[in-house]
Amino acid sequence: MNDTPPPQAPYRVLAEPCQHTLEEKRSLFHTYLFPVQERDQALAHVEALRQSQPGASHYCWAYILGPSDQPRSQAFSDDGEPSGTAGKPMLHVLTQRGAGDTLAVIVRIFGGVKLGAGGLVRAYGGAVSQALDLARWREITPSTEISITVDFALEERIRHCAQQRGLAVIDVDYQQQVRLTLAVPQAEVGALQDEVQQLTSGQFQWQP
């Protein structure tokens, strides 16, 4: 039985931060989208907006880390709005729109007219959706780190193989043998292992 998870497909992420403002019954929903890879990075953006725009009614947010269909992590906050009316619809829109590695923050300036639960859900979800319409995107291919240990005489073969495949050598460790650590797109791991097998006549160690 093979317990190796299937390779993840390429997914899209924000190419750059994006901003949009929605006005709904005199309330302003300032929406900010940021590319993020870690929770601490996302929360730092939220805190920066709290500091730069003090006095707002709410600072609601949602993020997805990794691909939207198989996230490494996801979270949201209503920040004082009625439960389920802000962060959750924001996260839902990010998921439905395929926004991987993305943080959405909405800084709401209350305009004096209450929107009700349904109105809030529509406003927060709509604000994120409109911001996503303006966003620029890029596609990334999930990678994994592979360490290949060989005799010194075979190092150049592995380096040439990596270069031909466009793979980055991210670390080299020289001990009794040389260990090269490569960043390999998940979909190419099997083919690389087969090629290294041929290049070294099986004289290598492979560590995913």
Side-chain angles (χ1 to χ4, degrees):
M1 182 176 178
N2 185 4
D3 293 329
T4 302
Q8 292 181 347
Y11 64 96
R12 69 174 195 162
V13 301
L14 285 176
E16 60 191 17
C18 180
Q19 179 181 348
H20 175 70
T21 297
L22 168 69
E23 182 174 352
E24 185 70 24
K25 295 183 178 178
R26 298 205 298 269
S27 280
L28 298 178
F29 294 80
H30 298 300
T31 307
Y32 300 85
L33 303 178
F34 299 97
V36 291
Q37 288 78 44
E38 302 293 338
R39 175 178 172 84
D40 288 349
Q41 183 185 18
L43 296 183
H45 281 303
V46 176
E47 184 59 30
L49 287 171
R50 288 184 187 275
Q51 297 296 325
S52 64
Q53 300 189 42
S57 310
H58 305 278
Y59 305 83
C60 304
W61 54 265
Y63 68 69
I64 294 175
L65 304 183
S68 61
D69 57 344
Q70 293 181 310
R72 290 186 288 111
S73 177
Q74 60 185 25
F76 63 85
S77 170
D78 293 316
D79 193 43
E81 292 282 31
S83 179
T85 63
K88 190 172 183 178
M90 292 169 67
L91 179 63
H92 177 73
V93 172
L94 292 179
T95 301
Q96 293 300 309
R97 297 288 295 273
D101 286 333
T102 298
L103 164 71
V105 185
I106 293 183
V107 179
R108 182 189 178 192
I109 310 298
F110 182 56
V113 179
K114 292 186 177 181
L115 302 182
L120 288 172
V121 169
R122 289 189 294 273
Y124 277 101
V128 172
S129 183
Q130 290 178 23
L132 290 170
D133 288 340
L134 302 176
R136 293 180 59 249
W137 302 91
R138 63 186 179 89
E139 189 175 87
I140 66 171
T141 300
S143 295
T144 188
E145 291 186 8
I146 299 294
S147 293
I148 303 170
T149 303
V150 295
D151 290 335
F152 291 103
L154 297 172
E155 176 185 359
E156 194 55 40
R157 293 187 189 181
I158 303 302
R159 285 186 177 273
H160 180 71
C161 171
Q163 183 180 18
Q164 291 295 105
R165 288 178 169 272
L167 304 177
V169 179
I170 58 179
D171 187 51
V172 181
D173 183 26
Y174 294 101
Q175 306 254 343
Q176 293 181 335
Q177 293 180 298
V178 58
R179 184 180 67 196
L180 298 99
T181 301
L182 311 178
V184 185
Q186 293 178 355
E188 298 181 25
V189 170
L192 175 65
Q193 188 170 16
D194 291 342
E195 184 170 355
V196 172
Q197 171 80 25
Q198 294 177 1
L199 290 173
T200 65
S201 300
Q203 303 301 307
F204 72 101
Q205 295 179 22
W206 178 275
Q207 184 176 356

